[in-house]
Amino acid sequence: MEKKRIGIIGGGISGAALGYYLSLYEEADITIFEKNRIGCGTTAKSAGTVCLFDDSLSNRYWDVRLYGFETYCRFEREEKGSAGFDQTGTLVVALSEQEELRIKAGIALAKAAGYSGEYITDKSRIEEILPGINTENVLGAGYTRDDGYFDGTMISNTFVKKMQTNGGIVKTDMEVTEIIRKGDAAVGLKTADGTRYDFDTIVDCTGPWSRFTGELVGLDVPIWHTKAEAFFLCPPVKRPGYVFPVLKYPAFYALRAGENVFICKSHLSMNLDDPMHAGQWDPDKLPQTGGTDDYFIEFLFDQMDTYVPGLADSGLVSSWLSYRAEPRDFLPIIGETPVKNYLLATGYGGNGVIEAPAVSRDLAKLIMRGESTPLLEEWAFKRLLKQ
Ligand SMILES: Cc1cc2nc3c(=O)[nH]c(=O)nc-3n(C[C@H](O)[C@H](O)[C@H](O)COP(=O)(O)OP(=O)(O)OC[C@H]3O[C@@H](n4cnc5c(N)ncnc54)[C@H](O)[C@@H]3O)c2cc1C
């Protein structure tokens, strides 16, 4: 049987998920190149929330969200811990009627799929679920016990392990330094050790690095880096037995991280034209920890003062900075590009953990069967050329 040779650049959740879905096709010959370790880039800095209803991804893409959630739950059933699931539940707070409508629609979708979900207007109940919350300007809150957050690095390694079982190859500590073109097509690549590899299809899954890998093939990848500044807080009051849920407000979100609380500005509240929020930077220069701006910590403490005063007196344990790769419309860039045989699976922004399974399933089908899907049509590179 003639095999299709596919080279994947990047072993974050994007490359790992794609490698796995491609490996379900017998005639796929897959190699992932990762310049560091699997799941150690943006994926390692992720909060990993995959909530059944929140504002991170519009209800229009409900099936993408559900597929991601159920894929990771399946991993957990097959091998406990393989997706790092912490089922804390989620509380999504509505401050406006528009948010209220979106949350209620999300709850209806979740219930139709067999999950629990309720819209709570009784403020004492909301305070029970999140002690320390200020319910003054709150219209209500959506709550489910069924979801929570996952571990992006564990998921990436689980995808890769499954791919390897199906015959796929992973090369870690192997940087791609050159893309080889023949006319208008990409035909292979070279790695830092000087080795050349020939491929029928190359997929760039390098997230925030895709600006740079794109340049290797003469492609201007239209992503911006938004600052994802995460802070780990030590709440002043310990409540034995209490489970801090994923907490979603329009401008920030929080979740438990052991005894502490992880808090971050939401990706949809980032302004790509504000140099404090977004720009073009080099992800290789990111420090392991720290590197955050005073602006963000002030912003988040201000939000807590207003909305969750019970957290405002927390100690700051640690922080980190990472870059999300965001296209102008905050939706990923998937599939074909102007360079023949050079595909993208990048621009996942703040939703890569949610979106990678459904996107990779569809992209693998496009690569192996030449069949597109409505999702791939909507998230195609060509939509950005029209703007
Ligand atoms: C603080 C924070 C919170 C987040 N919270 C959530 C959340 O709650 N839910 C959610 O769904 N998403 C969340 N995200 C977003 C999610 O983490 C990302 O969308 C996702 O991890 C992107 O994955 P990726 O594989 O595209 O990129 P990456 O994980 O960055 O992977 C790219 C890989 O490419 C490799 N690479 C780069 N250049 C080369 C080269 N030349 N050769 C070989 N390898 C190369 C890098 O080493 C890296 O490992 C969050 C992100 C951050 C930063």
Side-chain angles (χ1 to χ4, degrees), residues 47 227-231 251-254 262-266 300 324:
K227 287 184 182 175
E229 314 217 27
F231 299 95
F252 75 95
Y253 61 98
F262 170 112
I263 186 160
C264 188
K265 193 170 189 305
S266 72
L300 285 171
R324 308 178 188 101

Side-chain angles (χ1 to χ4, degrees), residues 13-14 34-35 42-43 46-47 49 176 253 349-354:
I13 198 154
S14 168
E34 165 54 53
K35 71 175 176 177
T42 324
T43 299
S46 180
T49 60
V176 172
Y253 61 98
N351 284 341
V353 181
I354 300 171

Side-chain angles (χ1 to χ4, degrees), residues 78-109:
E78 287 169 2
E79 189 182 346
K80 193 156 173 46
S82 59
F85 187 31
D86 188 3
Q87 189 183 333
T88 58
T90 298
L91 187 75
V92 191
V93 181
L95 301 172
S96 71
E97 282 178 13
Q98 202 188 344
E99 284 154 23
E100 194 168 52
L101 283 177
R102 186 186 40 71
I103 294 167
K104 285 180 177 172
I107 292 172
L109 288 164

Side-chain angles (χ1 to χ4, degrees), residues 66-230:
L66 183 66
Y67 187 75
F69 182 72
E70 295 198 332
T71 299
Y72 303 144
C73 289
R74 174 168 61 82
F75 284 4
E76 285 284 324
R77 280 196 303 276
E78 287 169 2
E79 189 182 346
K80 193 156 173 46
S82 59
F85 187 31
D86 188 3
Q87 189 183 333
T88 58
T90 298
L91 187 75
V92 191
V93 181
L95 301 172
S96 71
E97 282 178 13
Q98 202 188 344
E99 284 154 23
E100 194 168 52
L101 283 177
R102 186 186 40 71
I103 294 167
K104 285 180 177 172
I107 292 172
L109 288 164
K111 286 172 84 170
Y115 295 98
S116 74
E118 54 182 321
Y119 188 72
I120 307 169
T121 49
D122 173 354
K123 295 194 174 179
S124 60
R125 267 232 48 225
I126 298 174
E127 284 156 16
E128 229 170 77
I129 297 167
L130 203 97
I133 192 172
N134 174 10
T135 49
E136 208 176 305
N137 294 314
V138 166
L139 297 183
Y143 178 65
T144 178
R145 275 185 195 83
D146 296 340
D147 62 14
Y149 64 92
F150 296 85
D151 183 315
T153 301
M154 282 194 202
I155 292 168
S156 304
N157 280 284
T158 299
F159 271 133
V160 163
K161 202 166 84 178
K162 287 175 178 284
M163 180 197 76
Q164 287 174 305
T165 306
N166 295 342
I169 293 169
V170 186
K171 293 184 181 289
T172 50
D173 293 314
M174 193 60 81
E175 182 173 0
V176 172
T177 50
E178 203 181 318
I179 309 288
I180 302 157
R181 281 185 71 152
K182 197 169 169 193
D184 63 350
V187 294
L189 55 79
K190 271 193 184 164
T191 49
D193 61 356
T195 311
R196 175 185 167 138
Y197 298 83
D198 293 325
F199 289 112
D200 301 305
T201 301
I202 295 172
V203 192
D204 183 340
C205 296
T206 59
W209 283 267
S210 52
R211 272 250 163 217
F212 303 99
T213 38
E215 279 169 14
L216 297 178
V217 75
L219 197 64
D220 182 12
V221 178
I223 53 150
W224 279 254
H225 295 126
T226 63
K227 287 184 182 175
E229 314 217 27

